[in-house]
Amino acid sequence: MPLTVLTDSDVRSLLLSLNRADILDLQHNLAGALHQYSTGTNENGCCSLHQPQRTSISLKDGQTTLFMPASTSTSTGMKIVTLSEANPVVASSATSIMSGNTLTPSPSIASSQSTTPRGSLTLLDSTGTPLGLINAEELTAFRTALAATIIFNRRSHVNTVTVFGAGKQAFWHIRIALLLRGHDIKQVNIINRSFARAQTLMQEFYSEDHHEWRSNAKFSILSSEFGEYHRLLKEEVRKADVLLCCTPSFEPLFPAEYLTATEGRKKGRLISAIGSYKPHMCELHPDILRQAVTTAHHHQHHHKHASSEGVIVVDSLSSCMAEAGEIVQAGITPEQLVEVGELLMVKKAVLKEVEKGGQGEKGLKNWLEKGNVIYKSVGLGLMDVCVGEDICRMARDRGVGTVIENF
């Protein structure tokens, strides 16, 4: 079998060429893999039993190398990436956040220091024959956004999308959101410490090449360099229908009361947090998560009481319990989490019943479409292998990359 080799530029050019139908196809396959991860049996290659926990090597210079083995029903693979955890820098008073009634500086990673994971994904077919070698930099950001927008694509209201961050993760979250729901999105707000980086990101979406699928969505930037940053930040957070947090932050991006106070709870919104990947990192204040799981039915299982919030949606229960800073710091228990793959199964069953004329669990459907939903992800090797396999197939079909015969 020939080996397909994709450089970072190969991967980026291929991903940028994808249309809405391509994205939906990739997302459908990924959703299926995540469903099998949560519910499959030993016979299924995507089952969680066949997904080893990732291991890591941490060095004194702040670099961490992750080894992420995974399998599907048709392939196995290993992604190896190195992440640089830059030293937190203490921001100026303009970038402080409020803790209680006190303004305190917010440590974060300096904008000039890249934290994009660098490495590669190696793919083997079911017989162990090498089939792909893919640069993982663009792939990692893309597959994370693809998974994060599974629930997004089912939301009733996505008029205003607010994004924290201005890196690759922010780019792909915005691009996929616009490809999927561009005609429904009226406003995209980018919030970032550096105005210059946010401006660079915004300009990518105003190029002529993007106009056709970008629709008429308007963009705005909010930077901590602005004089009335805190007042504007509260307004942006509260009016958002969707909050996409894409930063490797050490502290909450905004005070909890923006969303936990009465005014902040007047509307339902989807909150996706994918930036923190270690227990000491945190994008969302723990109080936001604690409130989300504190409901009248907090002792009941989510499947029976979907009309109340009661749970946080995660990509992997075991991984998030060990690595997700928001989950760890909030003291969330496994019973208060539900994997997105399991949720997909419940939603499918509910919709099928409704289609047959039954009432279904209207509460679950209403919560997923209009309620307050928090999605937390730390990433799975399964995502890389599933999406990577599809990208290899597309690359071969479209003549992208380098093919090595009889490798």
Side-chain angles (χ1 to χ4, degrees), residues 11-31:
V11 176
R12 183 171 177 82
S13 65
L14 179 61
L15 295 180
L16 288 175
S17 72
L18 301 180
N19 57 31
R20 185 174 187 273
D22 294 327
I23 294 294
L24 288 172
D25 184 49
L26 290 170
Q27 194 173 70
H28 173 77
N29 292 342
L30 178 58

Side-chain angles (χ1 to χ4, degrees), residues 86-97 105-113 163-167 190-199 221-226 229 233 247-253:
N87 292 325
V89 295
V90 178
S92 66
S93 59
T95 61
S96 300
I97 65 169
S106 172
S108 60
I109 292 176
S111 297
S112 61
Q113 300 176 346
V163 182
F164 284 88
I190 301 172
I191 301 178
N192 194 60
R193 292 182 67 248
S194 166
F195 177 83
R197 287 194 66 188
Q199 186 177 40
I221 295 174
L222 175 60
S223 168
S224 53
E225 300 167 2
F226 291 8
Y229 174 67
L233 178 64
T247 69
S249 181
F250 292 92
E251 296 289 343
L253 299 173

Side-chain angles (χ1 to χ4, degrees), residues 148-149 151-153 155 157-158 240-244 268-272 368 371-375:
T149 48
I151 295 177
F152 165 84
N153 207 27
R155 298 292 290 182
H157 304 293
V158 295
D241 297 302
V242 181
L243 285 171
L244 302 175
R269 60 179 60 82
L270 170 65
I271 305 173
S272 173
L368 284 173
N372 285 302
V373 179
I374 298 176
Y375 170 74

Side-chain angles (χ1 to χ4, degrees), residues 72-86:
T72 68
S73 298
T74 55
S75 65
T76 58
M78 168 81 81
K79 186 174 82 168
I80 303 176
V81 290
T82 297
L83 303 92
S84 297
E85 184 182 310

Side-chain angles (χ1 to χ4, degrees), residues 105-126:
S106 172
S108 60
I109 292 176
S111 297
S112 61
Q113 300 176 346
S114 173
T115 57
T116 300
R118 292 183 171 87
S120 64
L121 169 67
T122 300
L123 294 173
L124 313 175
D125 68 13
S126 57

Side-chain angles (χ1 to χ4, degrees), residues 6 20 28 68 115 136 147 206 209 230 235 249-250 282 289 293 301 312 315 318 327-328 366:
L6 299 176
R20 185 174 187 273
H28 173 77
M68 304 171 66
T115 57
Y206 274 96
D209 293 340
H230 296 291
E235 292 179 3
S249 181
F250 292 92
C282 187
L289 279 73
V293 300
H301 197 281
I312 308 298
D315 54 355
S318 59
I327 302 294
V328 173
N366 185 67

